[in-house]
Amino acid sequence: MEPLTEHRRVSGPVVYGFLRLINISDARQAALSASLAEYCHQHELSLCGVFTECTTVVPSGAFTGLMDVLELPDTYGVVLPAMSHLGPRAIATGRGKRIAAAGARLLLVRGDKKPSPPHHGLSGPAGVLSRHRGRGPAPALEAES
């Protein structure tokens, strides 16, 4: 019997990681690299390399190298631990636009922590959901057969 498709080794979309490591300990660098690898494993992406920027000089060789590989035909995107790894806000915005212009997706291990809009029928203090009680009787549940 053939193994299930989920048990066969298939290569996922090709991505490259980018880390901006200014004054970061070796342990933190290892943890960030591991988070990229784990994210790619969970999302069935092929992490083909990680570019590491260790300088505040812009443009950097690491980002230039990243932009070069984004021109390769099978590259899907760039994986970052967080948007801050593209640099300070003004630099990150420009870099994000360049990545998008190259046709690559920008994938964040930790996305923006924006609060989600309230759900219909649920209310309560932040982070606590409770049933919204309307006027009139609650609907009856049908008996299970």
Side-chain angles (χ1 to χ4, degrees):
M1 177 182 265
E2 284 286 316
L4 297 173
T5 303
E6 291 83 8
H7 296 163
R8 292 185 183 174
R9 293 208 177 262
V10 294
S11 61
V14 172
V15 296
Y16 291 88
F18 188 80
L19 296 173
R20 188 168 195 265
L21 305 174
I22 310 296
N23 298 322
I24 300 290
S25 70
D26 290 342
R28 179 73 176 142
Q29 180 175 349
L32 289 168
S33 295
S35 73
L36 295 181
E38 179 62 23
Y39 177 88
C40 291
H41 176 73
Q42 289 176 351
H43 295 279
E44 299 179 352
L45 301 168
S46 293
L47 182 61
C48 291
V50 177
F51 291 86
T52 305
E53 183 175 76
C54 297
T55 179
T56 58
V57 177
V58 175
S60 72
F63 189 76
T64 301
L66 175 67
M67 293 307 298
D68 287 345
V69 297
L70 294 182
E71 299 299 324
L72 296 173
D74 292 333
T75 301
Y76 178 73
V78 178
V79 180
L80 305 166
M83 193 67 176
S84 61
H85 279 265
L86 285 180
R89 190 175 304 246
I91 294 170
T93 301
R95 286 178 167 183
K97 288 178 182 177
R98 287 186 61 196
I99 290 168
R105 307 254 343 228
L106 190 58
L107 308 166
L108 302 177
V109 173
R110 290 187 323 251
D112 293 334
K113 303 273 185 188
K114 295 179 183 175
S116 58
H119 299 288
H120 179 71
L122 299 174
S123 63
V128 178
L129 300 177
S130 60
R131 292 258 175 224
H132 176 74
R133 295 186 181 244
R135 295 186 181 153
L141 297 175
E142 293 184 39
E144 294 182 15
S145 328

